[in-house]
Amino acid sequence: MGNAAAVLPEESFKHAASTLTPLSLTRSTPPDAQRILFVTSEFTDLVKVGGLGDVSAALPRALSRHHDVRVLIPGYRQVMRSGLPMRVIGKLPGRGAIPPCLIGELTLPDQLVVHVVLCQQLYDREGNPYGDSQGNDWPDNHIRFARLALAAAQIAGGSGIRNWTPDLVHANDWPTGLTPAYMKWSGQNTPCIFTIHNLAYQGLCEMESHVELGLPAEALSPEGMEYYGKLSCMKAGINYATRISTVSHTYAHEITSAAFGCGLEGLLRRKASEGLLCGFVNGIDDSWDPANDPRLLQGFKPGQWEAKQLHARHVARTFDLHDDGPLFAVVSRLVHQKGIDLTLAAAEHIVAGGGRIAIIGQGERALEQQVEALATRFPGRVGVNLTFCETEARRIIAGSDFLLMPSRYEPCGLSQSYAQCYGSLPIARRTGGLADTIEDGVTGFLFREATLDSYLQAIGRALNVHRRPLLLNAMRRKAMAAPLYWHQAVQPYDRLYRRLIDGTDAAFSSRRRVRACAS
């Protein structure tokens, strides 16, 4: 584990801070707006690894129609080189081996305010937020993200941002898991929501790291952060937050079982029985409206299927595919969780049924090699692009008839909703958010078991529908009307925020089962 020295942030950040310029933008908020601090390790506008970045960019924007929302993120190299003007507005002390930091502020073109944790020695690195360009996690990640969490707790306590203290803090996934813990240990009573986007990533470090993180003795117990002899930032978030949410109704149920609970199912069952665990289905942002998406070759509405054919021809040219047959898309990280091995096994059956497959994405090298071998085995029927381009991904989805999404687990998932927007019918496993957002046989196809036989049955049903154009187009129309946009999905968050802030949430805590708080 790395031991970050407590170098004064003014010295360590002098060069980067010298390039920042003052801001003068203001933003209007509703008269009854509450102050919300949204804490995240990713934000798509500035730095993104996965779906957390999309949610972290879209949810605060949707909430800003109701509240004064500000985002807090680390000052990664990508953030500092974004070209956006920034000013330094505050300074925060360290704790243990967590160094001091400065707080920067930038305002995006739509006037969303983003606060940045400025600590060059922790964040000024090549690679992504979590690791180097070779895919290795940074050894001091426990300190890097403890700095983010500690900054959030200090801001919640009234430090770092002059004349602005949040009424509620919303922390997201393990990199922010220590946020409610530091808040609790400093005696704060500001409510904190902790959202689990993917329970499988725990944010583990060695028990000996408690000195570096400045943890009290209570943190080292099973009632704190202790997790099978290690310390878990995810467990800290679950144990110390005022409320725990997940990103779909079904996932909130699943994580209380041994199959999906990652060793925390007992704790989560207890939180559920106390009425403290709920599920909110993620929405999608308005940029996915196919009639107004500038990334598409041609916008379209339900019934304007010639635009889908235009995109299908583009995909065929780009991936060197034949022009005939149903088009199946894979737009995904190439990892075991996403069931890519199942799609590899099913490819022969899809091709035998006259289908074509276009695959775009990156991931585990072994799976990348198998995907490349599949394209070599089926030239003209399987095409592969082992990179990721947002524009091309959207055009592939727009041109496809079906999106393959056989995830072993999927807390929420966004790709299935993107596909539905563009009239592509998702074929997905009945798990997590996929079960909540796909109506089997109406807006897509679901299968139960993570087995090839179960998957092939759903693919067979899809191929049968493709042979019936009237039914195919009817399903497309229903799929395009199905997705939940963020201006709708934000409503349960707004209601819970207000109940927690005004102290009227006691009735909620007495409910004795996990369920959607959006009822």
Side-chain angles (χ1 to χ4, degrees):
M1 292 296 181
N3 190 338
V7 178
L8 288 177
E10 293 96 332
E11 296 301 322
S12 66
F13 206 75
K14 182 182 293 184
H15 174 71
S18 68
T19 66
L20 307 181
T21 57
L23 297 175
S24 59
L25 294 176
T26 59
R27 59 197 295 259
S28 59
T29 54
D32 63 342
Q34 305 289 347
R35 296 181 298 275
I36 310 298
L37 182 66
F38 192 93
V39 192
T40 180
S41 57
E42 300 178 31
F43 184 81
T44 290
D45 299 54
L46 302 170
V47 59
K48 172 186 172 180
V49 174
L52 174 61
D54 290 334
V55 174
S56 297
L59 177 54
R61 285 187 164 96
L63 285 165
S64 66
R65 302 177 186 181
H66 309 275
H67 301 284
D68 178 4
V69 183
R70 303 190 181 191
V71 176
L72 181 70
I73 61 171
Y76 307 118
R77 183 172 293 182
Q78 298 95 320
V79 175
M80 304 310 298
R81 295 182 177 179
S82 67
L84 293 168
M86 186 189 301
R87 62 184 177 128
V88 175
I89 62 170
K91 172 184 175 182
L92 294 172
R95 177 173 178 147
I98 303 169
C101 71
L102 299 175
I103 296 296
E105 179 179 291
L106 59 84
T107 302
L108 300 182
D110 62 359
Q111 297 195 344
L112 180 67
V113 175
V114 177
H115 293 299
V116 183
V117 180
L118 304 177
C119 189
Q120 188 178 22
Q121 68 199 83
L122 296 182
Y123 305 127
D124 184 20
R125 305 175 184 183
E126 291 292 347
N128 68 45
Y130 313 110
D132 61 27
S133 58
Q134 305 303 313
N136 303 306
D137 287 349
W138 299 114
D140 60 345
N141 269 346
H142 59 303
I143 293 177
R144 297 174 70 242
F145 293 112
R147 178 61 275 181
L148 172 65
L150 180 60
Q154 290 167 328
I155 291 170
S159 301
I161 303 175
R162 182 178 298 178
N163 299 324
W164 194 91
T165 302
D167 299 304
L168 180 143
V169 176
H170 189 157
N172 294 271
D173 249 352
W174 77 261
T176 69
L178 278 167
T179 300
Y182 283 135
M183 290 172 65
K184 175 72 175 300
W185 297 329
S186 64
Q188 297 180 33
N189 57 11
T190 302
C192 181
I193 296 173
F194 180 65
T195 295
I196 301 169
H197 295 262
N198 192 334
L199 190 65
Y201 297 94
Q202 298 273 332
L204 299 177
C205 63
E206 299 301 323
M207 187 69 73
E208 292 75 17
S209 299
H210 73 276
V211 176
E212 296 176 300
L213 301 179
L215 305 183
E218 68 174 88
L220 310 185
S221 71
E223 290 71 34
M225 295 176 58
E226 189 277 332
Y227 177 85
Y228 299 98
K230 293 182 180 290
L231 295 172
S232 167
C233 293
M234 177 69 78
K235 187 173 183 180
I238 295 169
N239 257 331
Y240 291 103
T242 313
R243 294 287 182 273
I244 305 100
S245 70
T246 67
V247 289
S248 70
H249 312 321
T250 297
Y251 193 57
H253 287 276
E254 289 178 337
I255 60 177
T256 62
S257 69
F260 294 91
C262 301
L264 294 171
E265 59 273 9
L267 172 61
L268 289 163
R269 277 196 300 270
R270 177 166 62 80
K271 293 293 184 179
S273 71
E274 295 170 354
L276 304 180
L277 171 64
C278 57
F280 300 137
V281 175
N282 278 339
I284 59 175
D285 67 68
D286 293 341
S287 74
W288 287 93
D289 177 0
N292 300 297
D293 186 350
R295 292 182 177 91
L296 297 184
L297 299 171
Q298 178 182 320
F300 64 98
K301 297 179 180 179
Q304 297 176 337
W305 310 129
E306 65 278 3
K308 282 192 68 66
Q309 291 305 311
L310 172 68
H311 285 90
R313 290 192 293 273
H314 168 79
V315 175
R317 290 193 302 271
T318 302
F319 285 82
D320 196 22
L321 298 174
H322 298 325
D323 288 330
D324 62 306
L327 179 60
F328 293 76
V330 176
V331 180
S332 173
R333 288 185 294 118
L334 304 181
V335 296
H336 181 72
Q337 175 209 333
K338 300 296 184 179
I340 301 301
D341 56 313
L342 292 174
T343 293
L344 289 167
E348 182 175 355
H349 301 266
I350 292 172
V351 170
R356 302 168 293 162
I357 308 173
I359 303 172
I360 184 170
Q362 297 173 306
E364 298 167 5
R365 185 55 190 152
L367 286 175
E368 289 181 344
Q369 292 171 339
Q370 292 175 53
V371 163
E372 289 179 316
L374 188 70
T376 301
R377 181 182 174 193
F378 297 111
R381 285 293 166 184
V382 177
V384 173
N385 183 352
L386 293 180
T387 61
F388 186 81
C389 170
E390 181 77 18
T391 296
E392 281 306 307
R394 292 188 183 221
R395 292 175 179 179
I396 292 166
I397 294 173
S400 67
D401 298 297
F402 308 104
L403 178 78
L404 297 174
M405 206 169 173
S407 303
R408 286 181 164 81
Y409 66 93
E410 196 67 60
C412 181
L414 295 172
S415 295
Q416 77 279 9
S417 294
Y418 298 157
Q420 290 172 330
C421 282
Y422 291 160
S424 177
L425 303 177
I427 303 172
R429 184 160 177 248
R430 190 187 295 273
T431 185
L434 303 178
D436 293 344
T437 55
I438 300 170
E439 187 175 358
D440 188 33
V442 178
T443 63
F445 304 90
L446 293 172
F447 62 97
R448 287 195 173 275
E449 304 300 327
T451 63
L452 180 59
D453 286 346
S454 187
Y455 189 22
L456 289 177
Q457 288 178 17
I459 291 171
R461 291 164 58 210
L463 288 169
N464 286 336
V465 166
H466 192 270
R467 299 184 188 104
R468 302 168 62 186
L470 291 178
L471 177 57
L472 175 65
N473 289 335
M475 288 186 68
R476 283 173 171 169
R477 288 178 181 273
K478 291 180 178 178
M480 293 179 75
L484 194 68
Y485 285 90
W486 270 116
H487 68 271
Q488 302 161 307
V490 76
Q491 294 173 9
Y493 284 105
D494 176 44
R495 289 195 290 269
L496 180 56
Y497 284 0
R498 294 182 186 277
R499 290 201 304 270
L500 290 174
I501 292 169
D502 65 22
T504 61
D505 195 49
F508 175 81
S509 65
S510 68
R511 299 173 188 175
R512 310 303 290 180
R513 60 189 178 89
V514 175
R515 66 212 180 278
C517 298
S519 58

